[in-house]
Amino acid sequence: MAARTAVVAGTATAVSGNVARRQQNRANEQNEAQAYEQQQAYEQQQAAMAPPPAAAPAATDTVGQIQRLAELKAQGLLSEEEFTAAKAKLLG
């Protein structure tokens, strides 16, 4: 009878240890998943707060602006003096 009690007690201890180990593993997995989600949320928040990239310099559009002034002059909306003054202002 004592041997039977020892076997039952040993089996119960082994089962209890396995259950505790599984529960601990699940808790660890949940903690790791939660930490990963928090890290992802933090990175998204930082990316959203990052300043936008600098705009291209306006100098690249100077030719287009001069062409537009020339069109206005050709339509008679700008005089020769106005065209020359505006072009000089654009070219600095």
Side-chain angles (χ1 to χ4, degrees):
M1 180 80 125
R4 178 185 268 173
T5 302
V7 169
V8 169
T11 302
T13 301
V15 169
S16 174
N18 287 339
V19 169
R21 216 173 303 114
R22 271 188 255 131
Q23 288 175 342
Q24 184 63 41
N25 287 340
R26 283 188 195 139
N28 288 341
E29 289 172 1
Q30 288 175 349
N31 288 340
E32 288 174 5
Q34 187 178 20
Y36 177 77
E37 289 172 4
Q38 288 175 347
Q39 179 67 26
Q40 294 299 315
Y42 175 77
E43 289 174 4
Q44 288 176 353
Q45 182 183 18
Q46 293 300 314
M49 293 175 60
T60 58
D61 193 32
T62 304
V63 174
Q65 290 177 347
I66 293 174
Q67 287 175 341
R68 195 166 4 141
L69 288 172
E71 290 172 6
L72 292 173
K73 180 184 163 211
Q75 294 172 0
L77 298 173
L78 287 179
S79 67
E80 182 65 36
E81 295 80 25
E82 290 171 327
F83 172 75
T84 305
K87 184 172 86 170
K89 184 177 178 183
L90 285 173
L91 295 175

